[in-house]
Amino acid sequence: MEHFIVSARKYRPQTFNDVIGQKAITNTLENAIKNNHLAQALLFTGPRGVGKTTCARILAKKINQESIENASEDEDFAFNIFELDAASNNSVDDIRNLTDQVRIPPQIGKYKVYIIDEVHMLSQSAFNAFLKTLEEPPAHAIFILATTEKHKIIPTILSRCQIFDFKRITVVDVKNYLKTIAKKEGVVADDDALHIIAQKADGAMRDALSIFDRVVSFSGSNLTRQAVTENLNVLDYEEYFNITDLLLENNIPQTLVQFNSILSKGFDGHHFISGLASHFRDLLVAKDNSTVALLEVGDNAKKRYIEQSQKASMNFLLKGIDKANDCDLKYKSSKNQRLLVELALMQIASITFDGEKKNDKNFIIPAKFFKNHIVEEKIDVVNYIEPKKEKKEELATVEEPLLTPSPIQLTKTTTRKRNSQLSLKSIERQKEINNIDVEIIDYSTMPQETFTEVQVLKEWKAYVKKLYDEGKKSIASIVDADTPKLDGNNIKVTLPSSYMQSQLEREKPKILKSIREKLNNYSINLLIDVNEVAQKKYAYTPQEKYEKLKEKNPFLAEFRKKLDLDI
């Protein structure tokens, strides 16, 4: 079996042009060599996997090639390059051995290059022993120090070095390089799959290539987004899109179910909530064409972000980021971390809720609104035929009482005719399944006396008074929000909001029952319309009631101020 070489070694840059994401540093070093302006002590600092040691090796090879005429490109001058691992050679004796070697000139080429990796691991005594040699080395010696933690190096060493700060490689640069590697390796890779690998690498090319090898071993020559997310245990952005849709719909029950599903896949709640804050940030960035370029995502994902950003308001995103960040900060110190995340999700889902007024910034939609979250259909008329040998029964009308709907999903009313033959037993079985009381009514036998609009208005007011007497002030104010108008046997009411419409729909069966019985006419129906432009006539919250009273008596404001009264 042929020996496998990892991509990080196989595709290690051999020239400065091959180095990814460090153009400023490579150009500086090339010009320094060309102009003979290279310092004798260089310090390469930056995160892991960004090319520090690679650039040191390329530089060591390059300066010796420049010093010899017609030098071969294949000549690596290995005898002139010495690499020292300061992590395991950090004592004074190790540095003294190094300084003793420095005095010996090179046999081939012009320079001896000493590359000291992880130089911050040297002891204090070793640093002091190295000072004199580093400040006044022989003309043939060049020191290249590499470290990931510059702050641990003593200032006297830093002052003797020319410092080059390597930056993290951008996600786009890593993705493009991986695309080149995949092409060379004959791997068909999705753009989104490579983007996830680049994000996971966190600016380190070596990590990116290691992850690339791993997922190629897992999925073979076809690299898909699903395979990458599954192998790396990365929470796919599709999950964030789905849960954001649920939050925008104020669907708390399904949001909690979705979060439980994410936890059951092995993901950490802390990782999820921080990712949700980042998702909201990306949606905020996607709302403006001038900032879309800040999205570090693939082309397909960018379209999804732009599409969802149009659904989410600025207020929702800003408050959502605030609550997600607050949860992120409190997560580690929390005793019940799952509950903390669930509370944050419920608060975010309640941001856009347009139901009852709330002043608390931590408001959560009350549970009563989700009791009947799955809305049943109201069947006004069902025609059925019960087979009795050769005889056929007359058509009967089935009226099903309207269930209490959620304000999130308005009741859907449909009229259907069943042509198939249904027996009374089948209706009873269906009733048991749905747990719905079915009342069979024959309208032809029910009274349908004539009535006037004045009578309707009188019974309407009587029903409102009854609600007030029972202490149901909220629904009473909604029923009394508009004066009903009569159109044939239909009572028409117009309300200023869909929320009020949903509340009146819940009360509709009781209202109709009362009015039908009082007027002795069972063909009466109630039609509810919404006109959000209509002016609001009634106050529902204490603040609104106070404003109404203040309009009638301006001295009320002064009275409240002097006595320091609450609303």
Side-chain angles (χ1 to χ4, degrees):
M1 186 176 68
E2 186 179 351
H3 180 64
F4 173 71
I5 302 176
V6 295
S7 297
R9 286 182 56 198
K10 185 176 181 180
Y11 294 102
R12 189 166 212 159
Q14 300 300 315
T15 66
F16 283 130
N17 291 333
D18 298 335
V19 178
I20 304 297
Q22 310 295 345
K23 200 67 178 174
I25 292 175
T26 55
N27 285 345
T28 303
L29 293 174
E30 282 187 316
N31 289 334
I33 296 170
K34 190 182 299 181
N35 300 326
N36 195 24
H37 201 265
L38 191 67
Q40 285 194 288
L42 308 173
L43 177 64
F44 291 172
T45 178
R48 70 185 189 281
V50 294
K52 298 186 298 295
T53 307
T54 297
C55 284
R57 291 178 180 176
I58 295 172
L59 178 63
K61 177 181 174 183
K62 188 89 172 174
I63 56 179
N64 278 302
Q65 285 178 343
E66 292 289 330
S67 64
I68 298 177
E69 293 184 6
N70 302 322
S72 172
E73 289 290 333
D74 297 330
E75 179 62 55
D76 58 2
F77 296 94
F79 293 107
N80 291 32
I81 301 172
F82 300 89
E83 288 196 43
L84 180 70
D85 177 22
S88 55
N89 300 279
N90 55 7
S91 66
V92 176
D93 291 337
D94 294 320
I95 294 299
R96 282 176 181 165
N97 291 335
L98 177 65
T99 55
D100 289 341
Q101 294 177 22
V102 168
R103 293 197 298 266
I104 304 170
Q107 302 301 310
I108 300 175
K110 188 177 179 181
Y111 297 100
K112 289 177 74 173
V113 182
Y114 294 86
I115 301 172
I116 305 178
D117 208 4
E118 301 300 334
V119 71
H120 66 273
M121 299 291 286
L122 289 177
S123 65
Q124 183 75 26
S125 301
F127 271 130
N128 291 332
F130 192 35
L131 280 174
K132 192 63 178 175
T133 305
L134 192 64
E135 184 175 17
E136 296 178 359
H140 61 266
I142 291 179
F143 292 97
I144 303 176
L145 315 180
T147 180
T148 55
E149 301 181 51
K150 185 175 72 172
H151 60 279
K152 291 186 178 181
I153 301 175
I154 61 176
T156 48
I157 292 288
L158 293 175
S159 63
R160 288 166 168 79
C161 297
Q162 195 174 82
I163 301 174
F164 292 88
D165 285 302
F166 285 69
K167 64 180 181 180
R168 290 186 182 277
I169 305 173
T170 64
V171 173
V172 175
D173 286 340
V174 174
K175 184 183 75 172
N176 291 336
Y177 189 67
L178 289 176
K179 195 178 292 184
T180 304
I181 300 298
K183 190 174 181 180
K184 290 179 181 178
E185 293 291 325
V187 175
V188 179
D190 290 350
D191 188 71
D192 287 343
L194 295 180
H195 195 92
I196 292 171
I197 296 174
Q199 284 182 319
K200 188 75 172 177
D202 194 25
M205 184 60 74
R206 182 170 60 239
D207 290 358
L209 291 171
S210 298
I211 295 171
F212 177 79
D213 287 343
R214 172 178 157 188
V215 295
V216 167
S217 299
F218 171 75
S219 60
S221 59
N222 189 16
L223 208 59
T224 62
R225 177 172 61 86
Q226 184 179 359
V228 170
T229 53
E230 182 180 347
N231 185 258
L232 299 182
N233 200 32
V234 173
L235 192 53
D236 194 359
Y237 62 75
E238 194 69 36
E239 297 281 2
Y240 289 119
F241 280 117
N242 293 338
I243 210 158
T244 301
D245 283 336
L246 294 173
L247 293 172
L248 289 169
E249 294 168 3
N250 313 114
N251 193 339
I252 289 179
Q254 195 58 41
T255 299
L256 297 180
V257 170
Q258 187 77 8
F259 176 58
N260 181 69
S261 173
I262 290 170
L263 292 180
S264 66
K265 294 176 184 176
F267 292 105
D268 180 46
H270 198 184
H271 175 65
F272 165 77
I273 200 67
S274 62
L276 185 63
S278 299
H279 182 75
F280 287 160
R281 174 262 177 195
D282 289 340
L283 289 176
L284 202 60
V285 165
K287 288 188 78 69
D288 195 321
N289 291 332
S290 60
T291 56
V292 169
L294 298 177
L295 284 175
E296 291 186 339
V297 296
D299 294 335
N300 295 333
K302 189 176 291 186
K303 293 177 183 177
R304 294 287 307 277
Y305 274 106
I306 294 173
E307 180 183 341
Q308 193 173 69
S309 68
Q310 305 306 315
K311 301 178 185 177
S313 66
M314 191 73 74
N315 178 59
F316 171 81
L317 294 175
L318 290 174
K319 288 185 177 179
I321 290 173
D322 181 55
K323 293 185 183 298
N325 277 339
D326 184 57
C327 178
D328 187 9
L329 293 172
K330 295 177 180 176
Y331 191 87
K332 286 188 177 179
S333 60
S334 174
K335 297 292 184 183
N336 193 337
Q337 296 173 332
R338 174 169 181 162
L339 178 61
L340 181 69
V341 177
E342 289 175 337
L343 283 173
L345 289 174
M346 288 190 283
Q347 290 169 9
I348 295 171
S350 305
I351 292 173
T352 58
F353 181 61
D354 60 352
E356 61 186 30
K357 298 291 182 181
K358 71 273 186 185
N359 297 320
D360 186 6
K361 66 177 183 179
N362 296 323
F363 171 81
I364 295 175
I365 303 172
K368 63 182 180 181
F369 291 106
F370 304 102
K371 285 181 180 178
N372 296 304
H373 193 71
I374 302 175
V375 180
E376 302 286 346
E377 289 186 346
K378 175 188 172 185
I379 306 174
D380 286 336
V381 179
V382 177
N383 294 323
Y384 67 93
I385 301 173
E386 183 180 7
K388 285 188 177 180
K389 297 180 181 179
E390 296 180 355
K391 294 182 179 180
K392 294 184 180 180
E393 294 289 331
E394 294 183 355
L395 297 180
T397 302
V398 178
E399 184 182 78
E400 178 186 308
L402 186 63
L403 294 180
T404 303
S406 162
I408 310 304
Q409 297 184 1
L410 300 181
T411 305
K412 179 180 177 183
T413 302
T414 58
T415 301
R416 298 182 298 179
K417 289 187 177 180
R418 297 182 184 174
N419 294 324
S420 60
Q421 293 183 343
L422 298 175
S423 65
L424 285 174
K425 289 184 179 180
S426 66
I427 293 179
E428 289 297 322
R429 283 197 299 271
Q430 189 65 32
K431 182 180 72 172
E432 292 174 1
I433 293 172
N434 294 333
N435 196 22
I436 297 174
D437 295 329
V438 177
E439 181 183 359
I440 301 177
I441 301 172
D442 186 359
Y443 279 118
S444 62
T445 62
M446 301 300 290
Q448 295 185 8
E449 294 185 6
T450 57
F451 59 92
T452 64
E453 188 170 354
V454 175
Q455 290 176 297
V456 171
L457 190 58
K458 178 183 175 183
E459 296 303 332
W460 189 273
K461 292 293 182 183
Y463 190 81
V464 171
K465 184 177 182 302
K466 176 188 171 187
L467 290 174
Y468 275 118
D469 293 342
E470 293 174 354
K472 301 177 180 178
K473 297 181 180 180
S474 179
I475 188 63
S477 61
I478 292 175
V479 176
D480 200 27
D482 186 41
T483 303
K485 298 175 180 58
L486 193 62
D487 181 13
N489 286 347
N490 294 325
I491 302 172
K492 291 187 174 181
V493 177
T494 303
L495 298 175
S497 73
S498 57
Y499 169 72
M500 293 176 67
Q501 181 193 33
S502 67
Q503 295 301 302
L504 190 55
E505 287 282 1
R506 296 173 64 180
E507 194 69 18
K508 179 177 175 180
K510 296 179 182 177
I511 297 174
L512 282 176
K513 182 181 179 183
S514 175
I515 294 178
R516 285 172 176 174
E517 289 177 353
K518 294 288 178 64
L519 299 180
N520 203 22
N521 189 318
Y522 288 83
S523 64
I524 297 174
N525 195 16
L526 177 59
L527 303 179
I528 306 168
D529 193 16
V530 177
N531 182 6
E532 296 189 357
V533 181
Q535 184 179 5
K536 190 175 179 182
K537 297 181 181 179
Y538 295 91
Y540 304 105
T541 67
Q543 181 67 38
E544 291 174 335
K545 292 175 182 176
Y546 170 70
E547 296 296 335
K548 288 285 184 183
L549 290 172
K550 197 167 67 171
E551 288 177 10
K552 296 179 180 179
N553 189 349
F555 292 105
L556 186 64
E558 186 179 353
F559 175 74
R560 173 177 171 267
K561 184 178 179 182
K562 284 184 177 181
L563 296 182
D564 193 23
L565 299 174
D566 291 334
I567 297 297

